Amino acid sequence: MSASPHWLQEQRVENGGDDISADRAVPTPDDTAVVPGTTGFVPGGDVRILIFGAGVIGRIYATRLLSAGHDVSILSRGAALDEIRTQGIRLVRGGVEDLRGFPRVVEAAAEAGRTDLVFVAVRLDQVDAALRSLGALDADAVASLINLPLGTDRLLKTIGADRFVPAFPGVAGRLDDQGTVHYVQVVQQPTIVGPGRASDTVVSALKSAGFPVAMPKDMDAWLATHAIFISAFESALAAVSGDSHALASDSHAVRGLVLAVREGFTALRSRGVSITPAALRIIFQTMPAQFATHYWSRQLDGELGRLALAPHTIASRHSELPVLQRDVRSLLGGAVPPRLERLFTDSR
Ligand SMILES: NC(=O)C1=CN([C@@H]2O[C@H](COP(=O)(O)OP(=O)(O)OC[C@H]3O[C@@H](n4cnc5c(N)ncnc54)[C@H](OP(=O)(O)O)[C@@H]3O)[C@@H](O)[C@H]2O)C=CC1
Ligand SMILES: CC(C)(CO)C(=O)C(=O)O
């Protein structure tokens, strides 16, 4: 198979270069409406934004939104507080400096004052602790950028249905010792935005900063599908200490990974959850395992494996990954299919 299928066929629409506005979201044949991103930054944004969490994802979204002209504060703590205050945030993309920005740095959300929009960018294992602050945020809209296998209910209840919007990052990267973020915009995965009264605000802010956006019809199904997929890939990568080239070169291991995700998707479907986006369903469940193995070997050896999946695995394997595995286990009612279970066990 020479052409690599994209997870989301609609990405091609964006590559067509048209700037289609949020209210002209392109309907797709099945489960996702897509809002292609702008091809560059739109200057003059004026939304007051708070980024809650100054890790990899928080820093990328903060700096991009700042450079689109928005009024951005970032909630930080520990050593990162002073580091960002004094050096700002430096983003490197494709090996060259992409952006440097100095958002306002706050230690408590209240210091940011009233905001139009908050993006919460903490890990799954940090959500319980963060929830204590999230209900009290003085903001019109609050979007999560978090891996949430069990769905968005907890956040929805704490934050309130009138202002909560579930979302998921369309970028990935790593933070180096100097505080620089090396990142990629994942071509296969635009920033995902779920339904909510404030979704339009979230989509327009993201588009203004050049992020392609897609809106699945069922966000919880999207998050559940992603959790199966990413918990399998991160587990397999953790077992080889994040060496995506070594994993890509082992076709037996990649085939086992493909079959583990396939079985995980089947188990999810048997619990009434549809596999979303369609492209993942096709790659793992329709495509013969031999082709899917070839496809994933190439992806693991390419930008997605080296610059997104591997660095994220290395950073999260002792923090978010165990909680992700635990939540995938509950998502599947305690009955994790054997190949997926083996990946989880071997990752430790
Ligand atoms: N990194 C990546 O490439 C990708 C990540 N994601 C997802 O995005 C989400 C965020 O991940 P990522 O940015 O990598 O995680 P990081 O660990 O890099 O960042 C989380 C940040 O939030 C801070 N934080 C957590 N709780 C609080 C709190 N109560 N008050 C103040 N600060 C807080 C942490 O501070 P401290 O360090 O002090 O704990 C840390 O700086 C995860 O669910 C992840 O799966 C999705 C795609 C790619
Ligand atoms: C961006 C990607 C696909 C891989 O890093 C991801 O979604 C994740 O790590 O959760």
Side-chain angles (χ1 to χ4, degrees):
M1 177 157 303
S2 56
S4 297
H6 281 157
W7 298 348
L8 290 161
Q9 62 161 57
E10 52 274 17
Q11 193 68 30
R12 287 188 217 120
V13 177
E14 191 231 340
N15 291 344
D18 285 333
D19 175 13
I20 300 172
S21 65
D23 51 2
R24 288 175 56 213
V26 183
T28 52
D30 49 29
D31 51 11
T32 315
V34 168
V35 186
T38 53
T39 45
F41 295 156
V42 178
D46 53 5
V47 182
R48 284 165 303 169
I49 297 174
L50 171 67
I51 307 288
F52 189 109
V56 174
I57 297 299
R59 291 185 202 211
I60 298 169
Y61 280 85
T63 313
R64 292 275 297 264
L65 288 160
L66 188 66
S67 67
H70 299 295
D71 175 356
V72 179
S73 302
I74 188 161
L75 177 78
S76 185
R77 65 183 180 189
L81 250 177
D82 272 351
E83 181 197 295
I84 300 177
R85 272 194 185 127
T86 53
Q87 302 171 31
I89 301 176
R90 182 167 175 259
L91 301 186
V92 169
R93 192 174 167 190
V96 289
E97 184 166 299
D98 182 35
L99 288 172
R100 188 184 271 271
F102 283 84
R104 186 180 312 113
V105 184
V106 298
E107 268 189 278
E111 271 178 63
R114 179 155 188 80
T115 51
D116 301 307
L117 173 58
V118 178
F119 284 100
V120 183
V122 304
R123 300 186 307 263
L124 173 63
D125 53 297
Q126 299 176 317
V127 170
D128 285 339
L131 273 176
R132 287 181 221 122
S133 321
L134 299 184
L137 288 172
D138 189 7
D140 291 337
V142 180
S144 55
L145 286 167
I146 311 173
N147 194 338
L148 296 167
L150 298 175
T152 51
D153 263 10
R154 274 189 312 161
L155 276 89
L156 187 81
K157 283 198 188 103
T158 307
I159 293 164
D162 52 330
R163 59 194 195 136
F164 176 62
V165 179
F168 196 85
V171 294
R174 71 180 172 88
L175 197 53
D176 75 14
D177 295 344
Q178 273 75 51
T180 297
V181 179
H182 302 257
Y183 84 107
V184 282
Q185 195 156 294
V186 180
V187 287
Q188 297 90 339
Q189 182 174 291
T191 300
I192 303 296
V193 178
R197 291 208 186 115
S199 290
D200 284 357
T201 309
V202 177
V203 169
S204 345
L206 290 167
K207 277 171 52 69
S208 74
F211 292 105
V213 175
M215 303 181 77
K217 284 195 188 130
D218 183 343
M219 185 68 183
D220 279 357
W222 190 96
L223 287 166
T225 303
H226 183 79
I228 301 282
F229 159 70
I230 204 75
S231 63
F233 273 69
E234 289 194 349
S235 298
L237 279 163
V240 291
S241 306
D243 187 341
S244 52
H245 176 69
L247 180 58
S249 312
D250 182 347
S251 59
H252 180 72
V254 179
R255 185 183 165 84
L257 176 55
V258 165
L259 295 177
V261 176
R262 177 180 285 188
E263 289 169 7
F265 283 179
T266 303
L268 199 56
R269 282 173 83 160
S270 74
R271 300 182 67 77
V273 178
S274 58
I275 305 306
T276 307
L280 282 186
R281 184 167 70 235
I282 292 162
I283 294 172
F284 286 104
Q285 299 208 290
T286 312
M287 204 183 255
Q290 181 192 349
F291 292 133
T293 301
H294 179 66
Y295 172 76
W296 284 111
S297 294
R298 287 182 45 180
Q299 294 294 324
L300 282 161
D301 224 4
E303 195 169 87
L304 181 70
R306 284 182 294 106
L307 305 178
L309 292 161
H312 189 202
T313 300
I314 291 164
S316 68
R317 67 180 153 159
H318 301 304
S319 52
E320 187 173 64
L321 182 57
V323 181
L324 183 58
Q325 292 169 341
R326 181 202 68 194
D327 282 5
V328 164
R329 197 164 276 121
S330 352
L331 180 64
L332 299 178
V336 178
R339 281 195 176 86
L340 190 55
E341 187 63 65
R342 198 168 322 125
L343 286 179
F344 288 1
T345 309
D346 291 350
S347 69
R348 283 169 213 136

